[in-house]
DNA sequence: TTGTTCACG
DNA sequence: ACGTACGTGAACAAC
């Protein structure tokens, strides 16, 4: 049998060391992790190096110990443990548990005493003992069988104390370390020692007298000196100090050496722990081992004839797509898994299976998917209908933490500890290097995805249930995915010829302006290049530099606006920029996106934004121009898909401010909305103390800007920029606003305070956003996080509301058996198309459903209109 | 790929 | 003293 090795770690001391040695790291959920990380590194290293047969981590039990009976002030005057550290002990304990390592604490005793007692017992049984601590006190335990490792500056660097090392370092035996402490004391433990005696003197004395006892017995032999007087005066204190510094080797432990046997870690629990902590390096180290071990018994069956025997009632379904453009791209294959079987189905095989078609369309057959919207949209192009989606990994993971990005299955399941899977990039390559792998590799990749989704479902759902987010996911996001999918597949008609005609007009105008600019500049240059434009404006024409960017002069619109009076060229540049934007993004860009059916089919990203909003891509239909008339005309190209149909648009009025009124419950703001008056005018009246009819356009404009600022998490600087006033004036506005709406002020402060405490903010429907940056030591980073803490509950709750309205609206349309259908969502508005005969009923039910979807302390208000084009539905 | 600008809510 | 309003996507230039 190999020799037994006992590894003993001083938990508290190592955690402290790690905490102060490493910068204050956090994971994505805002939990501090530096001490945990340092501790993990140390533990990992020791286990690998020592390869112990028994391990224990000892902790201090509480504030008072038997030493306090001797000396009340023992360890007195210590700084309180920083909260950033104390919160980490929970995780350190969890880590130790994941390793299946025993941890132990004993009331009235310190970790030192536990370690000392066990070390003594182990040596009597002939074991080797390795102690790890950040505290040199432990070195008194050193002997031929006990080695003590003390951390040095970093965290994984240690000094190895053997009897020889102690001798070399102090010229003393390990036992004499206690005597040394008795004489010199220890300021960190508040052990007094003999005043005036430091390390040097203590060592000198002990070399002569060996022990404290012997020193006092022979004190008469010392020559008279100040030192001698001090020693004599402090004799009892010296004995007491020695006693305090002595590690108790007979602590009444309730565990035995046999309980400490180490048989290796719970790998799965460790992976999960590293995931939670965001310990990338440690995780990567594990993955290599994991994949190679689990890989072997993983078989994916390639199906050549897909029939009922393959299709079960609860299965993971994965539709593998060639890229993210699921409205146009190829389907590379289908994966199915049910915990027993894993199938890869070439898409050509799937297409020919009527059983598969029926299985997909069955409401009662539960499918577990990741990105169900992409699956149902892509399959719909081949005549498949998908129903019965019971789980969507992408959405669930997004609700769990919206900071996640990307739809690849591998990183998602890895976040929940499932490792036997490869990333898309690893299988296909990236960008220009993208290529199909062999069918074998493809089958494995698709099979793995399906299997991982099946495997991870319960764990993910459990996580959401524990955070009370399951309802948000299951009753809001999951049904919404279906609705969004239908909207995307339905598409909205865009008239090519209308856009083309606008494009030609624009081109003519642009050519004229372009010439004008070249004439005024005295040369040709690329007006679209901020760099070249900067040279013309600020070097050649010598205009005032208002703002600089990282790379040079800023030529942004707000800057140019201020330079209007300095040179005639400015207005032309502004005009050029505006028209050029329309031409490239909205005319040319949109034309490229029109499909054969004359429609554009956007993709609504449902698992992307940090706040819970949707976003829209290819094309982005959430930023079609409206503010300026020239741009607004683009909307004339958006038309209904059938003759005698019209577009119907309904938008929430001031939804974010209403949400703010609700969440803050500010008396005045709630009152304002109940009155039903224009909110910006009403704000102006209150802030400027004037009557309604005295509010001029400037006052209203200022009030509006303040209202916006409030929603964004106001700062005087931001407001000053927006209103082009001084910071001081902006500050005065804000102060006045908060005087009038004190409840809003309190609410904002509380939002930040709560977020700091719990690490995240929440919305009306319990959506979360984690804000680790709230504890940043960088002013800018921290301020940003604070504004986010104020804005996200507002923006996110508004997003919750309209999402719920979409679900309610969809149900209502079905219930009323209307042909009307939802086409677009633009954050606070819904756009439908409907036969014109249905408009009267839509005018009744759409506002009704939208306004009633969630009851707030203030009414929700919906405005609506309809027309033959999107432009006319205003 | 990164930075700047500008379209929307 | 610090220097940004919150949330997005697309086009373009310049590395």
């Amino acid at each position: 049998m190999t020799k037994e090795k006992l590894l003993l770690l001083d938990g508290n001391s190592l955690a402290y060391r790690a905490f102060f040695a490493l910068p204050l790291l956090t994971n994505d959920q805002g939990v501090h992790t530096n001490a945990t990380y340092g501790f993990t590194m140390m533990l990992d290293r020791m286990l690998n190096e020592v390869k112990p047969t028994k391990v224990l981590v000892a902790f201090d039990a509480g504030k008072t110990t038997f030493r306090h009976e001797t000396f009340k002030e023992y360890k007195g005057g210590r700084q309180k443990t920083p909260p950033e550290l104390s919160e980490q002990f929970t995780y350190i304990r969890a880590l130790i548990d994941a390793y299946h390592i025993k941890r132990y604490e004993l009331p009235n005793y310190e970790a030192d005493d536990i370690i000392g007692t066990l070390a003594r017992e182990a040596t009597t049984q002939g074991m080797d003992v390795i102690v790890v601590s950040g505290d040199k006190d432990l070195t008194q335990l050193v002997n031929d069988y006990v080695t003590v490792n003390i951390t040095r500056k970093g965290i994984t660097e240690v000094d190895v104390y053997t009897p020889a090392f102690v001798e070399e370092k102090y010229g003393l035996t390990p036992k004499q370390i206690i005597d040394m402490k008795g004489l010199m004391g220890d300021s960190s433990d508040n052990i007094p020692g003999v005043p005036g005696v430091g390390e040097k003197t203590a060592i000198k004395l002990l070399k002569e007298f060996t022990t404290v006892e012997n020193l006092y017995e022979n004190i008469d032999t010392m020559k008279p000196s100040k030192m001698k007087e001090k020693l004599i005066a402090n004799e009892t204190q010296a004995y007491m100090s020695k006693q305090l510094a002595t590690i108790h080797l007979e602590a009444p432990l309730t565990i035995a050496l046999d309980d400490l046997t180490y048989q290796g870690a719970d790998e799965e629990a460790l992976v999960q722990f590293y995931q939670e902590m965001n310990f990338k390096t440690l995780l990567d180290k594990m993955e290599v081992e994991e994949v190679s071990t689990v890989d072997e018994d993983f078989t994916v069956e390639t199906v050549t004839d897909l029939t009922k025997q393959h299709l079960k009632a609860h299965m993971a379904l994965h539709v593998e797509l060639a890229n993210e453009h699921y409205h146009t791209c190829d389907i590379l294959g289908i994966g199915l898994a049910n915990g027993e079987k894993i199938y890869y189905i070439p898409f050509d095989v799937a297409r020919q299976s009527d059983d598969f078609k029926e299985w997909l369309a069955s409401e009662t057959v539960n499918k577990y998917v990741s990105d169900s919207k992409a699956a149902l949209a892509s399959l719909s192009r081949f005549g498949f209908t998908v129903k019965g989606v019971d789980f969507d990994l992408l959405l669930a993971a997004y609700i769990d933490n919206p900071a996640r990005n990307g739809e690849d299955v591998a990183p998602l399941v890895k976040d929940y500890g499932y490792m036997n899977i490869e990333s898309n990039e690893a299988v296909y390559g990236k960008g220009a290097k993208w290529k199909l792998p062999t069918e074998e590799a493809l089958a494995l990749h698709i099979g793995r995805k399906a299997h991982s989704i099946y495997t991870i479902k319960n764990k993910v759902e459990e996580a959401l249930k524990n955070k009370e987010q399951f309802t948000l996911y299951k009753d809001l996001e999951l049904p919404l995915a279906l609705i969004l999918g239908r909207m995307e597949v339905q598409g909205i008609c865009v008239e090519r010829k209308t856009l083309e005609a606008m494009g030609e007009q624009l081109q003519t105008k642009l050519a004229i302006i372009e010439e004008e600019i070249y004439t005024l500049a005295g040369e040709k240059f690329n007006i679209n290049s901020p760099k070249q434009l900067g040279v013309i404006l600020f070097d050649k024409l010598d205009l005032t530099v208002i703002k600089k960017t990282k790379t040079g002069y800023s030529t942004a619109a707000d800057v140019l606006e201020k330079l209007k009076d300095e040179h005639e060229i400015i207005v032309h540049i502004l005009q050029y920029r505006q028209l050029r934007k329309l031409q490239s993004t909205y005319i040319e860009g949109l034309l490229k996106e029109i499909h054969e059916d004359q429609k554009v089919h956007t993709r609504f990203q449902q698992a992307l934004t940090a706040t819970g909003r949707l976003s829209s891509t290819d094309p982005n239909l959430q930023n079609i121009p409206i503010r300026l008339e020239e741009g607004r005309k683009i909307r004339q190209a958006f038309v209904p898909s059938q003759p005698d149909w019209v577009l119907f648009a309904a938008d929430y009025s001031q939804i974010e401010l209403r949400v703010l009124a609700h969440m803050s419950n500010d008396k005045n703001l709630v009152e304002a909305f109940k009155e039903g008056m224009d909110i910006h005018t009403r704000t102006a009246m209150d802030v400027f103390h004037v009557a309604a009819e005295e509010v001029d356009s400037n006052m209203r404009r200022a009030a509006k800007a303040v209202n916006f600022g409030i929603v964004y998490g106001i700062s005087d600087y931001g407001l000053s920029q927006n209103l082009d006033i001084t910071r001081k004036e902006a500050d005065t506005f804000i102060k006045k606003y908060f005087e009038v709406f004190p409840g809003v002020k309190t609410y904002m402060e509380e939002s930040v305070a709560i977020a700091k405490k719990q690490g995240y903010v929440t919305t009306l429907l319990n959506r979360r956003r984690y804000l680790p940056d709230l504890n940043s030591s960088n002013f800018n980073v921290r301020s940003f996080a604070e504004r986010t803490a104020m804005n996200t509950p507002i923006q996110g709750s508004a997003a919750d509301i309209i999402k719920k309205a979409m679900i309610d609206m969809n149900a209502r349309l079905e219930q009323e058996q209307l042909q009307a259908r939802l086409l677009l969502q633009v954050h606070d508005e819904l756009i439908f198309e409907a036969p014109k005969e249905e408009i009267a009923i839509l005018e009744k039910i759409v506002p009704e459903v939208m306004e009633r979807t969630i009851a707030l302390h203030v009414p929700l208000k919906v405005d609506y209109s309809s027309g033959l084009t999107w432009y006319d539905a205003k």
Side-chain angles (χ1 to χ4, degrees):
Chain A
M1 206 182 107
T2 53
K3 187 156 187 179
E4 291 252 41
K5 277 193 202 167
L6 172 65
L7 176 64
L8 297 166
L9 298 108
D10 182 344
N12 292 75
S13 158
L14 289 173
Y16 261 86
R17 273 300 159 104
F19 181 77
F20 290 109
L22 300 172
L24 205 56
L25 315 161
T26 51
N27 73 354
D28 57 6
Q29 311 216 337
V31 175
H32 294 99
T33 56
N34 59 334
T36 316
Y37 184 71
F39 189 91
T40 310
M41 294 300 284
M42 173 57 87
L43 181 57
D44 185 62
R45 198 195 122 181
M46 281 299 156
L47 290 173
N48 286 327
E49 245 167 51
V50 174
K51 304 209 190 305
T53 54
K54 296 183 187 304
V55 189
L56 174 119
V57 183
F59 286 96
D60 298 337
K63 274 205 182 116
T64 56
T65 67
F66 68 88
R67 288 186 179 82
H68 289 88
E69 291 162 22
T70 312
F71 184 49
K72 273 208 311 283
E73 282 80 39
Y74 178 65
K75 290 201 171 176
R78 275 208 174 177
Q79 292 257 312
K80 231 186 118 230
T81 308
E84 293 85 356
L85 172 57
S86 33
E87 71 183 36
Q88 297 188 54
F89 278 104
T90 321
Y91 298 99
I92 291 173
R93 281 194 289 270
L95 168 84
I96 296 165
D97 292 347
Y99 265 105
H100 284 331
I101 287 173
K102 194 90 186 159
R103 51 187 168 79
Y104 187 68
E105 56 183 59
L106 183 65
N108 234 11
Y109 291 85
E110 294 180 56
D112 293 8
D113 305 313
I114 299 169
I115 290 173
T117 304
L118 284 169
R120 182 191 51 76
E121 282 180 19
T123 37
T124 62
Q125 295 189 19
M127 298 182 196
D128 279 341
V129 179
I130 297 92
V131 174
V132 190
S133 176
D135 190 343
K136 290 201 184 82
D137 284 0
L138 271 300
T139 54
Q140 62 184 267
L141 298 175
V142 169
N143 58 39
D144 288 342
Y145 309 100
V146 179
T147 310
V148 176
N149 295 270
I150 302 294
T151 54
R152 204 168 48 185
K153 59 186 186 223
I155 178 64
T156 47
E157 293 226 357
V158 289
D159 283 329
V160 183
Y161 284 73
T162 57
F165 186 83
V166 174
E167 163 68 30
E168 190 193 319
K169 188 166 166 139
Y170 300 111
L172 300 175
T173 66
K175 285 266 180 246
Q176 284 179 296
I177 302 261
I178 313 175
D179 298 274
M180 184 174 92
K181 276 279 163 71
L183 292 173
M184 66 183 276
D186 182 339
S187 60
S188 73
D189 285 348
N190 206 31
I191 297 177
V194 176
V197 175
E199 189 175 300
K200 287 268 160 60
T201 319
I203 292 171
K204 206 182 80 192
L205 290 168
L206 290 170
K207 279 190 172 167
E208 192 179 341
F209 297 101
T210 316
T211 65
V212 173
E213 290 76 5
N214 200 43
L215 166 71
Y216 281 105
E217 266 169 40
N218 298 291
I219 190 105
D220 298 341
T221 65
M222 271 180 83
K223 280 183 287 180
S225 68
K226 268 263 165 72
M227 180 57 59
K228 186 174 174 181
E229 285 167 36
K230 275 191 194 151
L231 284 166
I232 293 168
N234 291 289
E235 182 173 352
T236 35
Q237 194 159 300
Y239 281 121
M240 181 194 77
S241 296
K242 179 174 174 179
Q243 194 189 337
L244 287 173
T246 307
I247 292 175
H248 202 310
L249 301 180
E250 303 278 349
L253 303 185
T254 55
I255 43 156
L257 284 169
D258 284 346
D259 303 332
L260 311 184
T261 306
Y262 176 66
Q263 292 177 311
D266 178 345
E267 303 275 328
E268 206 175 306
L270 261 192
V271 166
Q272 205 188 338
F273 182 81
Y274 292 163
Q275 277 298 351
E276 195 186 338
M277 293 291 111
N278 300 161
F279 291 167
K280 276 290 266 171
T281 15
L282 288 159
L283 208 54
D284 292 343
K285 224 169 99 183
M286 306 251 347
E287 280 173 29
V288 182
E289 297 154 23
E290 277 266 335
V291 170
S292 55
T293 53
V294 186
D295 221 25
E296 287 150 27
D297 55 1
F298 194 99
T299 47
V300 179
E301 207 176 301
T302 298
V303 177
T304 49
D305 185 20
L306 181 56
T307 61
K308 283 204 166 70
Q309 60 150 357
H310 303 105
L311 302 161
K312 308 289 183 209
H314 300 270
M315 280 195 123
L317 161 71
H318 177 70
V319 180
E320 182 74 356
L321 300 168
N323 58 50
E324 68 271 27
H325 300 92
Y326 53 74
H327 293 307
T328 51
C329 75
D330 287 340
I331 296 178
L332 303 180
I334 305 286
L336 293 173
N338 70 343
E340 291 167 13
K341 294 285 192 175
I342 306 167
Y343 298 121
Y344 157 70
I345 302 125
F347 189 55
D348 283 336
V349 172
R351 279 182 85 170
Q352 281 154 32
S353 168
D354 288 337
D355 287 349
F356 183 54
K357 188 170 193 168
E358 192 185 312
W359 181 85
L360 280 177
S362 167
E363 185 79 73
T364 53
V365 170
N366 286 335
K367 290 105 187 164
Y368 311 154
V369 192
S370 188
D371 200 352
S372 56
K373 178 158 63 67
L376 73 92
S378 54
L379 286 172
S380 81
R381 283 186 279 128
F382 300 91
F384 292 106
T385 309
V386 183
K387 285 185 183 166
V389 174
D390 186 59
F391 174 68
D392 188 324
L393 173 65
L394 179 69
L395 294 177
Y398 170 68
I399 293 305
D400 191 23
N401 186 356
R404 287 201 177 83
N405 47 8
E407 49 274 338
D408 192 3
V409 173
L412 292 181
V413 293
K414 283 187 179 181
D415 268 7
Y416 296 92
Y418 185 99
M419 293 298 162
N420 187 17
I421 188 163
E422 281 195 286
S423 70
N424 282 335
E425 200 180 319
V427 174
Y428 299 107
K430 201 171 65 162
K433 291 200 192 97
W434 192 96
K435 74 174 208 293
L436 266 180
T438 62
E439 184 152 31
E440 228 181 319
L442 183 68
L444 179 63
H445 186 52
I446 294 175
R448 278 174 165 167
K449 283 190 183 179
H451 184 64
S452 71
I453 294 166
Y454 188 90
T455 309
I456 216 69
K457 172 179 181 272
N458 281 340
K459 199 170 192 173
V460 181
E461 290 187 339
E462 224 30 61
L464 293 179
K465 281 174 186 163
N466 287 335
K467 294 157 69 189
E468 296 185 335
Q469 291 189 294
F470 187 70
T471 308
L472 170 66
Y473 149 72
K474 191 76 187 263
D475 297 341
L476 193 86
E477 299 294 351
L478 194 56
L480 184 67
L482 199 74
I483 294 170
L484 289 170
R486 283 208 293 258
M487 290 162 64
E488 294 175 11
V489 169
Q490 183 60 237
I492 183 164
C493 260
V494 176
E495 287 183 330
R496 176 162 242 126
K497 58 179 194 320
T498 309
L499 288 181
E500 282 166 349
M502 287 178 183
E504 276 166 37
Q505 282 185 20
L506 273 178
Q507 204 48 56
T508 319
K509 278 194 193 170
L510 276 168
I512 296 166
I513 299 168
E514 208 175 314
E515 279 311 314
E516 185 75 35
I517 290 170
Y518 294 152
T519 310
L520 287 166
E523 64 180 291
K524 278 197 170 188
F525 66 101
N526 187 346
I527 310 171
N528 296 313
S529 160
K531 196 177 168 192
Q532 293 182 35
L533 180 61
V535 171
I536 296 286
L537 295 184
F538 303 110
D539 291 340
K540 189 166 182 185
L541 300 179
D542 217 22
L543 303 184
T544 317
V545 177
I546 308 252
K547 200 163 68 178
K548 289 201 133 200
T549 66
K550 255 181 265 190
T551 49
Y553 307 114
S554 169
T555 66
D558 62 325
V559 171
L560 297 188
E561 207 63 45
K562 295 192 173 86
L563 296 172
K564 263 185 175 170
D565 296 334
E566 289 195 27
H567 202 285
E568 206 193 330
I569 198 172
I570 300 295
V571 277
H572 293 97
I573 289 166
L574 285 166
Q575 177 76 0
Y576 178 86
R577 281 250 180 96
Q578 191 203 328
L579 299 183
R580 185 58 219 249
K581 179 90 180 173
L582 292 178
Q583 181 77 303
S584 64
T585 305
Y586 296 103
I587 303 287
E588 290 164 4
L590 212 45
L591 280 169
K592 279 185 220 149
E593 296 289 344
I594 299 177
H595 291 217
E596 277 182 10
D597 58 4
Q598 305 303 311
K599 291 174 173 180
V600 292
H601 300 269
T602 188
R603 294 190 327 274
F604 289 107
Q605 305 295 335
Q606 197 186 350
L608 185 147
T609 72
T611 55
R613 274 190 177 185
L614 302 175
S615 86
S616 159
T617 56
D618 303 308
N620 180 356
L621 294 181
Q622 291 183 320
N623 71 345
I624 302 300
I626 190 166
R627 292 172 191 171
L628 298 172
E629 180 56 26
E630 295 98 314
R632 191 174 198 156
K633 290 211 159 61
I634 299 285
R635 294 178 174 230
Q636 290 172 340
F638 289 78
V639 296
S641 63
Q642 296 178 54
D644 295 322
W645 280 44
V646 287
L647 294 178
F648 180 88
D651 68 287
Y652 281 112
S653 157
Q654 305 296 349
I655 189 165
E656 291 190 339
L657 284 173
R658 285 173 203 264
V659 165
L660 172 64
H662 171 81
M663 311 242 292
S664 69
N665 216 356
D666 178 276
K667 219 177 130 216
N668 198 22
L669 194 58
V670 169
E671 195 55 41
F673 277 117
K674 282 187 177 165
E675 269 173 27
M677 199 177 178
D678 176 280
I679 190 64
H680 302 314
T681 305
R682 175 58 207 262
T683 305
M685 287 163 60
D686 286 345
V687 170
F688 299 112
H689 303 295
V690 293
E693 49 287 356
E694 289 170 75
V695 174
D696 63 33
S697 64
N698 259 333
M699 290 158 92
R700 188 178 180 282
R701 192 176 69 93
K704 187 174 173 177
V706 175
N707 277 332
F708 269 96
I710 292 291
V711 169
Y712 292 155
I714 200 152
S715 74
D716 50 13
Y717 185 85
L719 184 65
S720 73
Q721 289 294 299
N722 187 276
L723 282 177
D724 204 7
I725 56 177
T726 66
R727 253 174 63 180
K728 195 138 175 69
E729 289 167 319
D731 187 56
T732 313
F733 270 139
I734 295 165
K735 288 221 170 72
K736 278 190 184 160
Y737 180 93
F738 281 141
E739 270 170 36
V740 183
F741 301 106
V744 174
K745 184 166 193 259
T746 316
Y747 169 73
M748 292 294 182
E749 288 164 355
E750 275 175 6
S751 287
V752 175
I754 293 171
K756 279 212 167 116
K757 196 158 155 254
Q758 63 185 13
Y760 59 87
V761 288
T762 56
T763 67
L764 270 184
L765 297 187
N766 231 2
R767 193 184 299 280
R768 278 190 192 183
R769 179 177 186 178
Y770 294 95
L771 296 169
D773 288 349
L774 279 174
N775 294 308
S776 170
S777 54
N778 179 318
F779 175 86
N780 272 328
V781 174
R782 188 175 64 249
S783 303
F784 195 173
E786 285 170 356
R787 290 195 298 276
T788 310
M790 298 188 243
N791 170 267
T792 296
I794 301 172
Q795 190 182 119
S797 297
D800 292 349
I801 292 172
I802 194 159
K803 281 178 166 178
K804 178 152 187 305
M806 291 170 76
I807 292 170
D808 293 348
M809 200 59 238
N810 197 61
R812 185 68 181 270
L813 290 177
E814 263 178 41
Q815 182 200 327
E816 305 267 348
Q817 298 200 332
L818 295 173
Q819 289 177 268
R821 53 204 174 204
L822 192 48
L823 298 182
L824 300 176
Q825 187 252 44
V826 192
H827 309 307
D828 66 354
E829 68 174 323
L830 299 177
I831 291 110
F832 304 82
E833 66 176 3
K836 61 178 193 285
E837 312 82 62
E838 289 184 2
I839 292 306
I841 179 156
L842 286 183
E843 286 178 340
K844 178 171 165 290
I845 66 169
V846 174
E848 183 181 302
V849 169
M850 288 173 75
E851 286 172 2
R852 285 186 195 172
T853 191
I854 285 183
L856 304 183
H857 301 143
V858 292
L860 286 172
K861 184 166 172 272
V862 169
D863 299 318
Y864 54 86
S865 69
S866 55
L868 281 174
T869 74
W870 195 1
Y871 178 91
D872 300 296
K874 60 179 173 187

